[in-house]
Amino acid sequence: MDTISFAGDGLAADLIPSEELADCAATALGEDGSRILSYGTGSGYTPLRELIAEQLQVHPYRVLLTNGWLQGFSLLVRQRAQGQNAIIEYPTYFGALSALFGAGANVIYADLHEDGLMLQQLADQIRMTSQKPVLAYTIPTFQNPTGQTLGYEQRWELCRILLRAGIPTVEDDTFGFLRFEGERIQTLFEMSGQATIYSTSFSYTIAPGLRVGVWVLPNDLAAELSTRANDTYITPSLLGQATIYEFMRREAFEPHLIELTANLKERRDTMVAALEKHVPDVSFVRPEGGIFLMLKLPPGTDAKGLLDRVEGVTALPGSAFGGYPHTIRLNFAEPALDEIEPGIERLAAALTLEPVAFEGYN
Ligand SMILES: Cc1ncc(COP(=O)(O)O)c(C=O)c1O
């Protein structure tokens, strides 16, 4: 039996516009090969930086393009958070968490519940620490691992708390463009009058293998991180960035997003229908975009124990992200569409197994 995976962070191959990207790469090399194949600045491919700067209405100097979002975050936390306090929502994306630990930051947590971020707890944590956090990190839209989105009022309140405390906030908008229903909510970057550090990635909107992360930084930090990038890898890989630039220049991005989000919606709908049919007693928040959905089993159930015993399907327990042990994160973008219902059926079989009590994080 082939294993069906809901466990990864990736996208199914049919969601990646590979033929068009091959053509974009060839055009980019043909038209700007001497620049793309040479060393450049630490900040990334200038035409793409300029294009993004124009879209976000900032000076291109503030835009840094890194080899994927995670490398940018790693540069940032190594620059600013070594031995310092950093405050994050929890559970969160484990790549960000391990970058923070790798940089030697002291991580302070504010809980993210089903009804949103515990803002009072966040404010209390900030007030109680003897050393003010040097940064806050949040994924307000279609969060990893919960799939949740922070509502409009909560965003305002979050901005107000962090601005008043003078804590630079990193907004990770990696999934923000993947909305397939409901109304778009302003980013923290927009709400805060560009005071927030905005970041996103082309990993889900175009292709993860191109490795292009986007950062919009205050001037001083843009200069520091460009130098740090320069010291670390001289220039980020320019071919992926130039390919994305060409993809945008020929106006392929918007139509691609429309098709991609329609495909993601179909996958979300298929997963929701399968869950309602095969595991009607399990609750979950229905995401309006992104790629993740989180299942909530009865409290006290050890989701990891169940997943370890199930056959033919993989998924990650919420505890892998610091979330509740009775939760399971499902990625509906990685399996093929016709694998989703059989995968949920296999998962449903596991849920009928004798539950085991949670014995601690490991
Ligand atoms: C919230 C979040 N941010 C960033 C990333 C990584 O982006 P990149 O592939 O650009 O490093 C991921 C990948 O899973 C993610 O879940």
Side-chain angles (χ1 to χ4, degrees):
M1 168 165 50
D2 281 349
T3 298
I4 297 172
S5 174
F6 298 125
D9 278 342
L11 283 183
D14 63 320
L15 298 177
I16 296 172
S18 27
E19 272 178 36
E20 179 101 37
L21 289 174
D23 196 54
C24 289
T27 303
L29 281 172
E31 290 185 2
D32 201 17
S34 56
R35 173 157 51 168
I36 295 165
L37 299 174
S38 305
Y39 287 128
T41 71
S43 308
Y45 188 58
T46 307
L48 184 59
R49 291 175 64 209
E50 286 174 349
L51 187 65
I52 291 170
E54 194 185 313
Q55 288 165 352
L56 295 174
Q57 297 177 358
V58 296
H59 194 281
Y61 184 81
R62 294 180 57 192
V63 179
L64 180 81
L65 302 175
T66 46
N67 293 316
W69 180 92
L70 190 54
Q71 185 150 39
F73 189 68
S74 179
L75 292 174
L76 171 65
V77 296
R78 279 164 202 275
Q79 182 70 16
R80 287 286 169 99
Q82 278 191 28
Q84 305 288 328
N85 287 340
I87 187 154
I88 64 165
E89 65 201 7
Y90 207 58
T92 194
Y93 168 45
F94 53 59
L97 197 58
S98 59
L100 280 162
F101 288 140
N106 308 312
V107 182
I108 301 170
Y109 306 94
D111 290 332
L112 179 66
H113 286 189
E114 213 170 286
D115 34 348
L117 189 56
M118 299 292 100
L119 290 167
Q120 188 56 51
Q121 187 193 33
L122 177 101
D124 290 346
Q125 294 276 47
I126 293 171
R127 199 166 31 80
M128 285 180 326
T129 50
S130 53
Q131 194 193 51
K132 187 169 87 175
V134 292
L135 67 87
Y137 169 64
T138 175
I139 315 163
T141 311
F142 312 134
Q143 207 248 8
N144 183 4
T146 62
Q148 277 174 237
T149 291
L150 211 59
Y152 183 80
E153 300 297 334
Q154 279 219 325
R155 283 180 196 227
W156 270 114
E157 185 59 12
L158 179 63
C159 279
R160 199 184 58 78
I161 295 171
L162 293 167
L163 282 175
R164 205 154 69 179
I167 299 173
T169 303
V170 175
E171 173 174 31
D172 180 348
D173 196 32
T174 287
F175 300 104
F177 292 89
L178 302 181
R179 179 175 285 283
F180 40 72
E181 68 189 21
E183 256 184 51
R184 178 182 181 272
I185 311 176
Q186 279 189 328
T187 57
L188 301 182
F189 177 71
E190 290 163 332
M191 276 185 179
S192 65
Q194 303 192 345
T196 304
I197 295 172
Y198 179 78
S199 62
T200 187
S201 165
F202 286 106
S203 283
Y204 297 94
T205 51
I206 301 187
L210 290 176
R211 308 304 302 131
V212 182
V214 177
W215 291 83
V216 181
L217 303 155
N219 286 338
D220 56 341
L221 198 52
E224 285 171 38
L225 295 195
S226 177
T227 305
R228 202 171 245 273
N230 214 240
D231 296 344
T232 312
Y233 47 71
I234 307 179
T235 306
S237 170
L238 297 177
L239 181 55
Q241 299 182 7
T243 302
I244 288 176
Y245 173 71
E246 173 58 22
F247 194 70
M248 293 188 146
R249 197 188 61 83
R250 57 170 78 171
E251 297 182 359
F253 189 55
E254 290 301 323
H256 167 66
L257 270 188
I258 292 170
E259 200 183 320
L260 173 66
T261 48
N263 276 320
L264 290 175
K265 180 175 184 308
E266 194 181 8
R267 283 173 152 84
R268 191 279 319 260
D269 289 344
T270 306
M271 181 171 275
V272 166
L275 287 168
E276 284 168 350
K277 183 168 158 196
H278 300 289
V279 272
D281 306 332
V282 171
S283 66
F284 55 87
V285 177
R286 185 187 159 101
E288 295 185 332
I291 65 167
F292 299 117
L293 176 153
M294 200 146 207
L295 287 188
K296 218 167 94 190
L297 309 179
T301 313
D302 176 16
K304 183 176 182 303
L306 286 177
L307 290 168
D308 284 348
R309 289 185 292 157
V310 67
E311 282 188 10
V313 61
T314 56
L316 290 177
S319 55
F321 308 86
Y324 292 113
H326 61 286
T327 56
I328 297 179
R329 187 196 77 168
L330 299 174
N331 176 343
F332 51 84
E334 195 160 38
L337 183 61
D338 62 3
E339 288 180 326
I340 293 178
E341 186 173 359
I344 295 296
E345 260 186 281
R346 291 179 194 173
L347 204 60
L351 302 184
T352 63
L353 296 173
E354 184 75 12
V356 276
F358 179 65
E359 283 180 0
Y361 291 92
N362 53 31

